[in-house]
Amino acid sequence: MSNKGDFNVYIYIPVTYNANIKKRSEYCYDILFKLIEKQYIICNDKSNHNIILSKQSNDINKEEFLKHIYYQIDDLNTDKKVQTNKETVTEEPPHITIVGSVQIKRHMISSFLNKVKEKLKNQNCFYLFFKKSVDLYKSQKNTKYFCSYTVSDEQQKLHLDPLIKKINEILNNFDLNNNYVNRICHMSLAYTDVSLEVILEKNKLNIKDTFWPNISEIIVDNSSDFSSDDFYIYVDCIHICIGNKLYKIHLKNFNNLNFLESDDSYISSE
């Protein structure tokens, strides 16, 4: 059967930009800078500058580190747009992926969306808490490293696993497979295209892994104002991206009851 007319489908929890997200993005950005800076010192000691070069550049030096570190929030990358005099190519805005790329036929789209709405009509909104430490992830193509906040194990089991299970049941009905099954759910806030293998190996971490928890531990002078703060978002919808179209599926409200005072990490568009 021809694949012509197929569309890529992604399903994720959106995260809206606000002051708290901005501060944590800056913290993640700073961690990446310190990791690269520390790696630069190691490479200098070895007289091997090429180790820290990204695949996209052959002329990186200490003064140009910041050109290779990006915020996940595009609006925070203004300095790079000024330097290059053009728009930077960035990742998607902050989000938590629950279904990776799957293929769907055009004639299946309407039915698929209706099934998701029906399946989630009794799915309550919820507060989703993250671990307090910052973790490091590597992209599937091994070209980027992301500083991220990972959903806590308890929250993963309580909220995300049941949600993903419902969506997987729908995917199975359409003979589609979720490649993100058993994925560690997280929210990335900053990333770099510089390989960090040297600093990871120096700290006896397995460079073949794709996830390194609490990465800030290897930064001696690291400090954070967030170590004791709870970090959470309010989830009241999911986004389904099909091709270049975005569909918003609302979750069931708590009848206007506020169980927590929201920090506005997630704000509904309505």
Side-chain angles (χ1 to χ4, degrees):
M1 182 180 294
S2 172
N3 286 326
K4 187 176 181 180
D6 283 357
F7 294 86
N8 286 323
V9 178
Y10 300 88
I11 302 179
Y12 60 89
I13 296 171
V15 178
T16 296
Y17 171 61
N18 64 28
N20 188 26
I21 295 294
K22 180 177 184 292
K23 289 180 180 178
R24 291 180 183 272
S25 296
E26 291 170 344
Y27 178 52
C28 288
Y29 188 99
D30 186 56
I31 288 176
L32 285 175
F33 176 81
K34 290 177 179 177
L35 287 172
I36 296 174
E37 184 179 44
K38 192 170 183 179
Q39 180 169 266
Y40 180 86
I41 295 173
I42 295 171
C43 293
N44 262 344
D45 292 340
K46 293 181 178 180
S47 298
N48 189 352
H49 301 270
N50 290 331
I51 295 178
I52 67 168
L53 296 181
S54 72
K55 294 181 179 179
Q56 290 78 16
S57 173
N58 291 320
D59 58 358
I60 190 172
N61 56 48
K62 190 172 183 179
E63 289 70 31
E64 293 182 332
F65 285 168
L66 295 181
K67 294 181 181 179
H68 292 266
I69 308 173
Y70 301 86
Y71 289 103
Q72 199 78 27
I73 300 168
D74 192 31
D75 288 346
L76 297 179
N77 290 314
T78 305
D79 58 328
K80 295 176 179 60
K81 294 177 183 178
V82 172
Q83 291 169 2
T84 59
N85 197 30
K86 63 181 180 180
E87 293 292 316
T88 56
V89 178
T90 61
E91 300 292 316
E92 294 293 326
H95 61 277
I96 302 169
T97 302
I98 52 180
V99 174
S101 178
V102 296
Q103 294 285 318
I104 191 171
K105 299 289 186 182
R106 182 187 297 272
H107 70 271
M108 298 164 58
I109 294 176
S110 179
S111 177
F112 177 77
L113 291 172
N114 288 333
K115 289 290 185 182
V116 174
K117 291 178 183 178
E118 177 67 21
K119 194 74 172 180
L120 299 183
K121 67 179 181 180
N122 293 319
Q123 171 69 50
N124 288 325
C125 301
F126 55 90
Y127 289 92
L128 186 65
F129 285 78
F130 298 87
K131 295 179 181 179
K132 295 179 180 180
S133 60
V134 172
D135 302 327
L136 186 70
Y137 290 81
K138 183 163 61 176
S139 65
Q140 291 180 324
K141 295 181 179 180
N142 300 321
T143 57
K144 297 174 183 175
Y145 290 81
F146 296 82
C147 267
S148 312
Y149 281 92
T150 302
V151 176
S152 70
D153 296 338
E154 296 81 3
Q155 293 283 292
Q156 175 84 30
K157 294 177 182 178
L158 179 63
H159 294 301
L160 297 189
D161 286 349
L163 177 61
I164 293 173
K165 182 179 179 181
K166 291 178 181 179
I167 294 176
N168 283 343
E169 289 174 356
I170 299 172
L171 292 174
N172 290 335
N173 290 337
F174 285 84
D175 292 324
L176 301 173
N177 294 318
N178 182 5
N179 296 324
Y180 279 49
V181 174
N182 300 322
R183 172 182 172 86
I184 303 174
C185 291
H186 60 278
M187 175 177 60
S188 298
L189 293 178
Y191 67 95
T192 181
D193 57 10
V194 174
S195 172
L196 298 176
E197 288 188 358
V198 173
I199 187 69
L200 293 172
E201 197 168 35
K202 180 70 173 179
N203 286 271
K204 297 180 172 54
L205 297 174
N206 188 353
I207 61 174
K208 294 183 179 180
D209 287 342
T210 58
F211 164 67
W212 300 271
N214 200 9
I215 194 62
S216 60
E217 281 189 338
I218 69 176
I219 304 173
V220 177
D221 61 344
N222 180 59
S223 61
S224 170
D225 296 329
F226 309 118
S227 57
S228 61
D229 294 343
D230 285 331
F231 181 31
Y232 59 90
I233 62 173
Y234 183 62
V235 180
D236 63 359
C237 73
I238 63 170
H239 282 181
I240 302 177
C241 182
I242 303 179
N244 59 0
K245 292 186 177 181
L246 189 64
Y247 302 88
K248 186 174 183 178
I249 307 296
H250 290 276
L251 305 184
K252 186 177 180 181
N253 288 323
F254 282 126
N255 296 321
N256 297 322
L257 293 177
N258 290 320
F259 294 99
L260 288 173
E261 183 179 350
S262 174
D263 63 357
D264 290 329
S265 291
Y266 186 87
I267 303 174
S268 174
S269 63
E270 296 186 352

